[in-house]
Amino acid sequence: MPAADAADADADDAGSHEKKYDLVALAAPKLVSPLIFVVSYLLANRSLVGRLYASLLARKNGFLRLATQDSLQLLSLGFTPAAGRAITHPVTIVKDYPPASKASSSSSSKPQQLGPVTCADYHHAYRSRTTSPMQVCDWLLDNLEKTNKQLNAVIRFDPSSIREQFAASEARYQKNAPLSPIDGVPFVVKDELHAAGYLGACGTNALEKSATPASKDCGVVANLKAAGAILIGKSHMTELGMAMNGYNPVNRLCVNPYDTRREPAGSSSGSGAAVAAGLCPFAIGCDGGGSIRMPAARCAAVGLKPTKGLVTNEGRVIETTTTLGHVGPIAATAQDALLMLHYMTSRRDVGDIPRSLATPNITNLKIGIYWPWFRDVNDSRIKSICEESVNKLKQLGADIVDIEIPHLNRAGRAHSAIILHECRGAMTKLMGEQKWDNAVMEDLGYEVRMKILVSETIDKLTTDDERKQPLVDTAFACREEIFKCFASLLEKKCDVIATPTMPTLPPFHANGGPKLDVTEDSCSMRFMLPANITGLPAVTVNVGWIEDGSHHLPVGLQFMGNCSHERRLLQLAHLFESPEGVGVSWKRPDVYVSPPFAS
């Protein structure tokens, strides 16, 4: 967006009911060394210059104009959007579920691989004795180290624990008594969640140097293990989940399997890369501002941010954002995402299996699109692929509905204020104020350090309205206002809302010293934040490819729905995988490993 238009949009944001498209990326100087060291020093020492710098950034980006009459009235409601809303999965008892997929056909011992290896492929291979869990274990251990040298996706793994879990699974299959369709299927968990026997440090040296192995699994890992899934390690994440680029000052850089020169996106970078590379058909991620959906989109996977409260947050290393954070699946396919969601939510009986996703009939399904937002992408090829995908849905019977969404700029600013406030507050509570202050300067990487230090100043600001409300309080009130807006749209105007997932191609990873590019980060999260602010579910699925020399770069489309409509969203995602639907072809990544039963 041109600078003049951006300024006009920012000015218009003051009007509470202005329908003009107003979303503008956060504006701040791009800081690299040595400038980032100087600004960091001024902020850390609470100097007048540092406070003025942070205050000017807040004013320039519209933070002080968060308040509206509606948001001020909402301050007293104490309302938590979408919290605690549960989903009920239709179930059916199927003896040998799911059926063999394209990569597991029994017509030959080494069939041509036409898609990513899925849970169905593992289950069928074990049932048919094409391979055994211990054979998969040997293959996996052979490839973990090799793949890590290329991608750095799995930062910690324990061969003895992996062997023990696979041996138990093999014993169950030998007795023809697997616990579930995911028995013997490997997965990884983001370093933000505890897993028994593993350090959990949320990707930061502030915790890593004093962390001890967890004594028990977090809730979702325990649930998946109870269904027989095999935890193979902790996946790479950006520091405290607050960086978008896949870089971590402790665990180094995680790269994209589709082009190792490029970023996989954060903060669940390792989970997305591990799935794309074939190490596992699903992984656990955490999403406070797109951190499941962004790496899924850039790694051609399905990423689901569930309804707030559906999946337990129990067992997180630190509650970096209780308000905005969600735990959910990154998976090779929509069907795998459904399976994973089903077993993540609670412990299940052996026969309790979610009904397989069928190609849905979407006749008269109302897909809402706010076209100015939808088309606000930085690459015309992304826009073309996403618009073509919407047209294909229309050809299949969907009703494309033009909608207007106010408050998008306010949603972004409220999100930034809340997530920084909660992360800093959680770390202070965990470590104590003095230890945290020391850790900010001694242990944090410069990118996260700068964000934390700027947030200290923003937290102390008040809004520009006559009431002078604390900025963070007003941000929480805005969250409620935005939830009401989206809930109303999804009840009265449309069934789902569609956007591109990412407005840019995966950027090339930076070489050299630290950098902070707030504008680039804000742009990357353009389509992410409303689902986090509202707690509503959202899914991304791959809908096409952009060729870059010998590399194939995926393009994601996002669907956002009403509370507890995860199955509907996954059915739409499945439509793009099914030959009877849109049928987008799969491209093998540059870095990919196949288990022994697949070519």
Side-chain angles (χ1 to χ4, degrees):
M1 181 180 289
D5 293 344
D8 290 342
D10 198 33
D12 288 339
D13 189 54
S16 64
H17 298 291
E18 176 58 64
K19 295 297 180 73
K20 180 180 176 182
Y21 179 63
D22 66 352
L23 186 58
V24 184
L26 288 169
K30 181 177 178 179
L31 299 178
V32 296
S33 56
L35 189 57
I36 194 170
F37 304 122
V38 175
V39 178
S40 173
Y41 174 82
L42 293 172
L43 286 166
N45 286 279
R46 282 73 175 178
S47 70
L48 177 60
V49 174
R51 292 198 305 272
L52 285 173
Y53 173 80
S55 298
L56 285 171
L57 289 182
R59 183 173 295 277
K60 177 180 176 62
N61 286 290
F63 282 94
L64 305 189
R65 295 192 300 279
L66 274 173
T68 68
Q69 191 58 41
D70 288 343
S71 65
L72 291 174
Q73 290 172 352
L74 283 164
L75 277 170
S76 62
L77 292 183
F79 174 61
T80 304
R85 298 286 295 273
I87 185 172
T88 302
H89 291 290
V91 297
T92 183
I93 307 304
V94 182
K95 235 180 180 181
D96 192 11
Y97 176 92
S101 72
K102 76 283 152 200
S104 301
S105 170
S106 57
S107 59
S108 69
S109 60
K110 285 283 186 179
Q112 182 183 6
Q113 189 175 335
L114 301 177
V117 175
T118 69
C119 294
D121 299 323
Y122 276 93
H123 188 67
H124 179 77
Y126 294 152
R127 283 283 203 181
S128 65
R129 303 292 194 267
T130 303
T131 192
S132 71
M134 288 309 298
Q135 286 176 306
V136 169
C137 178
D138 291 338
W139 160 81
L140 189 60
L141 291 175
D142 286 344
N143 281 280
L144 262 174
E145 193 68 51
K146 179 182 73 175
T147 308
N148 262 354
K149 289 178 180 177
Q150 298 170 288
L151 301 176
N152 193 33
V154 185
I155 58 170
R156 284 184 269 273
F157 62 93
D158 180 355
S160 62
S161 173
I162 293 171
R163 285 193 177 279
E164 182 181 343
Q165 293 174 79
F166 271 112
S169 178
E170 175 144 326
R172 291 190 291 268
Y173 274 101
Q174 286 175 345
K175 295 176 182 176
N176 200 28
L179 294 172
S180 77
I182 63 171
D183 197 337
V185 179
F187 74 99
V188 295
V189 59
K190 187 179 181 181
D191 195 40
E192 189 172 339
L193 295 162
H194 278 305
Y198 286 97
L199 293 178
C202 218
T204 180
N205 200 45
L207 298 178
E208 180 119 11
K209 64 184 185 181
S210 60
T212 57
S215 59
K216 66 176 184 177
D217 294 315
C218 67
V220 291
V221 169
N223 289 342
L224 289 169
K225 280 185 174 180
I230 311 295
L231 176 66
I232 62 171
K234 301 295 288 289
S235 60
H236 183 286
M237 67 176 287
T238 59
E239 189 171 21
L240 291 175
M242 291 177 62
M244 299 297 105
N245 54 19
Y247 176 74
N248 183 296
V250 180
N251 298 310
R252 308 182 319 282
L253 183 71
C254 178
V255 300
N256 194 318
Y258 279 93
D259 183 350
T260 56
R261 303 169 302 167
R262 295 178 182 266
E263 299 170 358
S267 62
S268 305
S269 42
S271 291
V275 170
L279 288 171
C280 49
F282 61 72
I284 299 174
C286 303
D287 190 317
S291 295
I292 286 173
R293 291 159 287 156
M294 292 193 297
R298 285 190 166 155
C299 293
V302 172
L304 175 68
K305 186 209 75 64
T307 302
K308 182 68 174 175
L310 171 61
V311 177
T312 178
N313 278 337
E314 181 268 322
R316 294 176 74 170
V317 174
I318 174 175
E319 291 287 353
T320 49
T321 173
T322 54
T323 299
L324 306 173
H326 303 68
V327 177
I330 296 175
T333 65
Q335 180 66 57
D336 285 351
L338 176 65
L339 276 172
M340 190 180 179
L341 181 67
H342 179 77
Y343 290 106
M344 286 171 76
T345 52
S346 65
R347 296 179 184 273
R348 305 284 182 172
D349 294 332
V350 173
D352 189 15
I353 299 169
R355 189 174 66 234
S356 179
L357 291 173
T359 304
N361 179 354
I362 60 170
T363 301
N364 299 323
L365 180 77
K366 292 181 173 60
I367 299 177
I369 296 182
Y370 184 27
W371 287 109
W373 188 28
F374 190 99
R375 291 172 172 149
D376 189 10
V377 297
N378 297 42
D379 190 303
S380 61
R381 295 169 294 179
I382 294 175
K383 181 171 78 75
S384 296
I385 289 171
C386 289
E387 287 187 358
E388 182 183 354
S389 300
V390 169
N391 286 332
K392 289 178 180 177
L393 295 176
K394 185 176 181 180
Q395 292 167 11
L396 290 170
D399 185 9
I400 308 303
V401 180
D402 291 357
I403 60 174
E404 291 182 334
I405 306 176
H407 312 310
L408 286 173
N409 209 51
R410 189 173 296 118
R413 279 32 175 186
H415 178 278
S416 297
I418 292 170
I419 199 167
L420 290 169
H421 167 80
E422 290 192 335
C423 179
R424 198 182 72 256
M427 291 298 290
T428 302
K429 181 179 179 181
L430 179 69
M431 300 180 70
E433 191 166 344
Q434 187 58 55
K435 283 187 178 180
W436 171 237
D437 280 348
N438 293 338
V440 168
M441 291 309 297
E442 295 173 7
D443 299 316
L444 295 188
Y446 277 91
E447 181 176 359
V448 173
R449 182 185 306 179
M450 286 290 297
K451 290 177 180 178
I452 291 290
L453 291 171
V454 169
S455 77
E456 283 187 2
T457 300
I458 290 178
D459 247 15
K460 297 172 184 175
L461 299 175
T462 57
T463 57
D464 268 354
D465 69 288
E466 67 280 1
R467 304 251 318 249
K468 295 293 180 186
Q469 290 289 331
L471 183 62
V472 171
D473 288 352
T474 309
F476 278 100
C478 287
R479 172 176 172 255
E480 298 167 12
E481 180 184 5
I482 294 155
F483 171 78
K484 289 171 64 178
C485 169
F486 274 85
S488 177
L489 282 170
L490 288 164
E491 288 170 7
K492 299 176 182 178
K493 298 287 187 181
C494 57
D495 301 306
V496 297
I497 296 170
T499 70
T501 309
M502 301 294 289
T504 62
L505 294 179
F508 294 102
H509 51 73
N511 294 313
K515 74 164 187 174
L516 176 62
D517 193 336
V518 172
T519 303
E520 181 181 280
D521 287 356
S522 178
C523 176
S524 295
M525 293 162 36
R526 182 174 295 154
F527 303 110
M528 298 290 99
L529 305 186
N532 293 97
I533 280 282
T534 59
L536 296 172
V539 69
T540 180
V541 64
N542 189 56
V543 295
W545 302 92
I546 292 173
E547 303 301 320
D548 178 48
S550 61
H551 305 285
H552 309 287
L553 303 178
V555 175
L557 189 67
Q558 176 181 247
F559 297 103
M560 183 176 172
N562 219 331
C563 295
S564 302
H565 283 188
E566 281 81 357
R567 188 178 181 91
R568 170 182 282 171
L569 297 180
L570 289 170
Q571 283 178 318
L572 275 172
H574 180 64
L575 196 65
F576 286 91
E577 302 166 344
S578 168
E580 294 79 26
V582 180
V584 176
S585 62
W586 177 71
K587 306 286 187 184
R588 189 182 180 101
D590 296 349
V591 179
Y592 191 82
V593 290
S594 296
F597 52 83
S599 58

